[in-house]
């Protein structure tokens, strides 16, 4: 894990602002990046952030064909197979609750002017497999600061789109839709918490949560909610889909922790998805991000607050 807190993103790369294609086309960003035109639209120019892991990323194929996105079915191949019809443009995100400027924000407005970066994060599913993925996105704190979080806010909750016509998995009650997730405000404001709009320098494919999804690299994958349409600031701990479905197996925090097993299987080791590396390896505390985020949980009993 490479992490240098006093080294800013702008120090390691001269290209501080990376915009996705949607932003380029939206115009707001196009002015700032006037020299980028034509063929450059086909890919987003990025360089790894100082927050990135230096582990070898998985292939694009792994990251886009082996997914969890129950709105499209419960099989790992279902999201790639059944998400083609999802309309992600236009897209608007309702931001409400304890904020100064609540409203329905068009995605292009919401992301215009934010600093986009590429970050290579370890990603660890509760089912004990892991991948390393180069995400394109921005720190969630950037948009939270913009809408003005009120001092009474303690948590952030997120909801996924409900559109059974385009999300065939939502025709079944596998979960109580919408998919919901939540973070404590300090977790949400942490610089490792990003909203991703792309991966591998490309716009996010639908199966990975287009056009906007959360990525919280020290927590089990299910916290990283996809295709977000609502962000609510609350004073009470919000309900989360997996906790509602099975509170014994899924708590609110869901920090990757080799010492706290899932009731039905061990979390001590994990399997890296991809190619020939099928060997199990030890799970790292907080998925390898303990130095950065461990202090958020000082004094808490992580066996109780799992
Ligand atoms: N809306 C929604 N978000 C979701 C899920 C889901 O079923 N629905 N699955 C979660 C789980 S369990 C994991 S492991 C990750 C998988 O992200 P990926 O497919 O991009 O690797 O998405 C998370 N976000
Ligand atoms: Mo997961």
């Amino acid at each position: 894990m490479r992490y240098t807190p006093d080294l800013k993103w702008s120090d390691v790369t001269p290209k501080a602002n990376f915009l996705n294609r949607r932003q380029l086309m939206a115009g707001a960003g196009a002015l700032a990046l006037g020299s980028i035109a034509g063929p450059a639209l086909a890919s987003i120019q990025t360089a790894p952030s100082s927050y990135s892991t230096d582990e070898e990323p998985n292939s694009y194929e792994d990251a886009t064909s082996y997914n969890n996105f129950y709105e499209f079915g419960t099989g790992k191949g279902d999201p790639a197979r059944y998400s083609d019809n999802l309309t992600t443009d236009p897209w608007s995100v309702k931001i409400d609750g304890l904020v100064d400027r609540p409203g329905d924000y068009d995605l292009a407005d919401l992301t215009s002017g934010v600093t986009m970066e590429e970050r290579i994060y370890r990603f660890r599913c509760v089912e004990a497999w892991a991948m390393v993925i180069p995400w394109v996105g921005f720190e969630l704190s950037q948009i939270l600061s913009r809408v003005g979080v009120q001092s009474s806010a303690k948590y952030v909750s997120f909801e996924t789109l409900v559109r059974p016509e385009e999300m065939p998995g939502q025709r079944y009650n596998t979960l109580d839709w919408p998919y919901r997730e939540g973070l404590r405000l300090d977790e949400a404001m942490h610089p490792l918490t990003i909203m991703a709009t792309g991966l591998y320098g490309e716009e996010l494919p639908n199966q990975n949560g287009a056009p906007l999804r959360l990525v919280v690299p020290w927590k089990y994958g299910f916290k990283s909610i996809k295709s977000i349409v609502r962000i609510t600031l609350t004073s009470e701990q919000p309900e989360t889909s997996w906790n509602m479905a099975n509170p014994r197996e899924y708590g609110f925090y869901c920090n990757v922790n080799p010492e706290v097993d899932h009731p039905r299987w061990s979390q001590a080791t994990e399997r890296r998805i991809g190619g020939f590396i099928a060997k199990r390896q030890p799970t790292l505390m907080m998925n390898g991000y303990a130095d950065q985020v461990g202090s958020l949980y000082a004094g808490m009993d992580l066996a109780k607050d799992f």
Side-chain angles (χ1 to χ4, degrees):
M1 176 61 61
R2 184 159 42 93
Y3 175 70
T4 322
D6 48 16
L7 189 69
K8 283 208 290 300
W9 169 244
S10 51
D11 296 323
V12 292
T13 170
K15 279 213 169 299
N17 285 289
F18 298 104
L19 301 173
N20 65 24
R21 264 175 283 170
R22 184 189 294 266
Q23 283 180 302
L24 286 169
M25 291 184 293
L31 284 173
L33 285 179
S35 59
I36 296 181
L41 291 175
S43 73
I44 305 157
Q45 284 180 279
T46 53
S49 155
S50 57
Y51 285 103
S52 296
T53 172
D54 44 23
E55 283 182 59
E56 189 62 33
N58 278 84
S59 66
Y60 180 85
E61 177 67 16
D62 288 341
T64 58
S65 62
Y66 191 89
N67 301 100
N68 271 337
F69 200 167
Y70 278 24
E71 284 83 342
F72 297 104
T74 54
K76 303 292 177 207
D78 289 346
R81 203 172 298 129
Y82 301 120
S83 63
D84 279 354
N85 293 332
L86 179 66
T87 318
T88 59
D89 194 358
W91 192 269
S92 108
V93 181
K94 179 186 282 302
I95 305 187
D96 61 356
L98 303 168
V99 293
D100 294 334
R101 287 170 290 282
D104 293 304
Y105 289 86
D106 182 70
L107 182 61
D109 296 335
L110 191 66
T111 57
S112 91
V114 303
T115 305
M116 289 274 175
E117 314 171 27
E118 174 169 273
R119 291 185 177 183
I120 304 171
Y121 277 175
R122 287 179 53 85
F123 193 82
R124 170 67 159 73
C125 184
V126 74
E127 293 159 287
W129 51 264
M131 283 195 218
V132 174
I133 299 179
W135 300 103
V136 178
F138 56 91
E139 291 175 12
L140 173 60
S141 67
Q142 292 186 78
I143 56 171
L144 292 183
S145 309
R146 244 203 247 180
V147 296
V149 175
Q150 297 179 349
S151 58
S152 50
K154 299 284 179 284
Y155 295 90
V156 188
S157 82
F158 304 86
E159 283 179 19
T160 295
L161 177 73
V162 180
R163 195 183 286 158
E165 320 85 84
E166 296 182 3
M167 299 175 124
Q170 285 182 336
R171 296 169 205 160
Y172 306 90
N173 295 323
T174 40
L175 288 171
D176 181 7
W177 316 111
Y179 193 98
R180 285 164 249 236
E181 259 310 336
L183 295 172
R184 216 170 55 193
L185 186 58
D186 57 344
E187 300 176 320
M189 294 301 282
H190 193 280
L192 280 172
T193 302
I194 59 168
M195 296 290 256
T197 57
L199 46 73
Y200 298 85
E202 301 282 338
E203 254 183 38
L204 215 50
N206 288 348
Q207 61 266 36
N208 293 92
L212 184 72
R213 60 91 54 87
L214 188 69
V215 183
V216 192
W218 71 93
K219 292 179 181 283
Y220 291 116
F222 62 90
K223 295 299 275 187
S224 293
I225 181 173
K226 296 174 168 181
S227 305
I228 294 167
V229 293
R230 186 174 180 192
I231 301 174
T232 309
L233 278 289
T234 64
S235 57
E236 303 293 325
Q237 183 176 299
E239 296 209 293
T240 65
S241 287
W242 288 103
N243 181 256
M244 286 161 72
N246 194 338
R248 207 176 73 85
E249 298 192 3
Y250 306 102
F252 177 77
Y253 286 93
C254 324
N255 293 320
V256 175
N257 188 341
E259 292 159 18
V260 177
D261 288 334
H262 184 280
R264 289 184 282 131
W265 57 80
S266 166
Q267 295 291 8
T269 63
E270 65 186 28
R271 184 172 54 89
R272 220 2 235 284
I273 295 291
F276 52 91
I277 331 168
K279 217 175 107 234
R280 298 190 77 87
Q281 55 191 45
T283 300
L284 300 172
M285 180 55 102
M286 305 274 166
N287 201 23
Y289 299 88
D291 287 351
Q292 294 99 298
V293 297
S295 63
L296 297 177
Y297 310 102
M300 285 174 59
D301 178 355
L302 297 181
K304 205 171 117 274
D305 285 318
F306 60 89

